[in-house]
Amino acid sequence: KVKNYLLSCNASELQTDFKIAEAKESFSRNEDGSYNVTVTGELNREAGNFDNELEKVAVTLTDGINTVMGTVEGKNFTVSMENIPASSVITLKAVASLADRMQVYYYTSDTGYYQNFIGGNIGTSTTEDSKEFIAPKEPEIKTGDLTITKQIVGGGDLAAAKEYHFTVTGPNDYQQKVSITGAGSVTLSELQPGTYNVTEENAAIDGYTWSVEGNGNVLVIAEKNAEITITNSYQQIEPKKGSLSVAKKVVAGGELTDVDTSTDFNFTIKLSDSTVDGVYGDIIFVAGVAETTLHHGERKTAVGLPAGVDYIVTEKETADYIADAVEKTGVITEDGAEVEFTNTRTVTPPTPPTPPTPVIPENPENPGNDDPGSDDSGDDDPIEPFIPTIPLDQPPVPLTETPVEELILNEDVPLSGLPEDEEVLLDEEVPLAKVPKTGDNLVLWFFAALASGLAALGLSRKRG
């Protein structure tokens, strides 16, 4: 008190009794696993109550990172927050702002008490209350399993060794790719219950037709194993066949000789398919390669070859001949492939000698000249001996002189009328006239004619 004045300050005496009287939370789960929460409640004091010196009340929620403001009407409040992670701690806070006031009172004697003379706010104090809530944990979901089984019909070793691929889709954008080699199965575990789709990717095999059964949907139930079986069927396609013919032709700029037609020309045939092995028509293949030999005018054909296979036919070098191409290539077709190699002879073979033609004079007694030892040409060479021929219709002349046996068989006895130093020359290249066998007389006549010829030959020598 200062001479009838009274100073009063009420800054903190009403702050201690402010609190949250009641609060209730409500959580809802989002698809991504987060939560939304709304908290409603009641305060024990009402904002704006001048008697209690309350100026303002605020209610907030915070998860430690984000903070949101609520609304307050009287003592009631509501506050909401979204996308709170599971198991997060959130705090509800109510804050009251109170005015700090100072009052000056004046004592009047006529009234006998103090009256407000002057006063005002000198500051603001706050008081608060809070509560904590915990967002729910991620709910435990019971799961199921899915087994995919692959079955194969046909296809042989190719289908048994093939890797088959599947795409599996399901709830909440689930997608998974799995593979199975040959016939077998695979299991997907801990799947959320729901409908799943299993689709096999392209599983075609060259040379086979392909069909599939079992693609589609399957229901997965919690704590159970769902099964789906997908069956592939293969049937071999009859392969297309073709042939390959290889022909040889020789040209020589003239008539062909025996050498041209008998010469071996060797070839190598190579296919792009090494599985071709065995006898194919005229040609034998070993791992897609064949060796064969042709002569002029000859052709060999390989039949039953797989159509679409590439081939290379190569001719090996042959002495004295040049080929029109070293190799020829192409593709085996169902209509048949044909190749022909033409070889030209580069060396002309020698011409065999022509045998001499015998000269038979018109007059055996004087063949062309008065001098039997020379001819009209002036040469001193003796003329060709004359071998007389006797018509078959004339009767034989009996021998009266030297026996034929002595003339033919005894070469040491000189012919009658010839000097002993003269040599009798027989021309073996002059053919004798053919005399048919008509009996013993005809044979004797033949030897008589031979003796006459030898006598004429000896006379010619003597005169020369």
Side-chain angles (χ1 to χ4, degrees), residues 348-422:
T348 302
T351 303
T354 302
T357 302
V359 178
I360 301 177
E362 295 181 359
N363 186 356
E365 297 298 330
N366 186 16
N369 198 311
D370 293 339
D371 184 357
S374 63
D375 56 25
D376 295 335
S377 62
D379 292 336
D380 292 335
D381 295 334
I383 62 172
E384 295 292 335
F386 167 69
I387 304 299
T389 59
I390 306 302
L392 295 179
D393 56 352
Q394 293 184 6
V397 178
L399 292 176
T400 58
E401 298 183 359
T402 305
V404 174
E405 290 81 358
E406 182 180 354
L407 174 65
I408 299 301
L409 299 178
N410 192 349
E411 297 179 354
D412 295 331
V413 178
L415 296 176
S416 176
L418 295 178
E420 294 183 1
D421 58 348
E422 287 294 331

Side-chain angles (χ1 to χ4, degrees), residues 127-307:
T127 186
E128 62 181 46
D129 191 14
S130 64
K131 289 183 176 295
E132 286 187 348
F133 304 97
I134 299 177
K137 295 180 180 180
E138 185 71 28
E140 182 179 354
I141 301 176
K142 295 181 179 180
T143 61
D145 299 336
L146 171 60
T147 298
I148 303 169
T149 300
K150 163 58 61 182
Q151 292 183 347
I152 301 171
V153 177
D157 294 340
L158 293 175
K162 184 175 178 59
E163 187 176 78
Y164 301 91
H165 303 280
F166 307 85
T167 300
V168 183
T169 57
N172 299 322
D173 298 326
Y174 177 88
Q175 180 169 315
Q176 182 70 34
K177 290 185 177 294
V178 295
S179 299
I180 300 174
T181 299
S185 62
V186 62
T187 299
L188 301 174
S189 302
E190 298 183 357
L191 299 179
Q192 182 178 337
T195 299
Y196 290 78
N197 179 271
V198 182
T199 302
E200 182 178 8
E201 298 178 6
N202 190 329
I205 298 177
D206 290 341
Y208 291 83
T209 61
W210 165 59
S211 62
V212 58
E213 295 180 358
N215 281 334
N217 296 332
V218 57
L219 179 63
V220 175
I221 300 174
E223 299 182 328
K224 292 187 177 181
N225 181 53
E227 296 182 355
I228 184 171
T229 299
I230 299 177
T231 302
N232 286 21
S233 297
Y234 296 94
Q235 184 172 0
Q236 189 170 16
I237 300 172
E238 187 65 27
K240 296 180 179 179
K241 301 293 185 180
S243 63
L244 172 63
S245 293
V246 182
K248 165 54 59 185
K249 180 181 178 181
V250 177
V251 295
E255 293 185 2
L256 300 180
T257 66
D258 291 342
V259 174
D260 295 326
T261 57
S262 62
T263 297
D264 290 342
F265 297 94
N266 300 310
F267 296 84
T268 299
I269 304 172
K270 185 174 182 180
L271 304 179
S272 60
D273 185 353
S274 61
T275 64
V276 177
D277 199 288
V279 180
Y280 291 77
D282 302 329
I283 301 175
I284 300 175
F285 285 88
V286 177
V289 179
E291 303 284 342
T292 190
T293 300
L294 294 175
H295 300 107
H296 165 69
E298 189 177 6
R299 175 186 299 271
K300 289 186 179 180
T301 302
V303 298
L305 299 176

Side-chain angles (χ1 to χ4, degrees), residues 8 19 22 42 44 81 100 108 125 132 159 179 184 243 373 388 393 430:
S8 174
K19 64 181 180 179
E22 182 181 0
E42 183 178 336
N44 68 337
M81 178 175 281
D100 292 333
T108 58
S125 297
E132 286 187 348
S179 299
S243 63
D393 56 352
V430 179

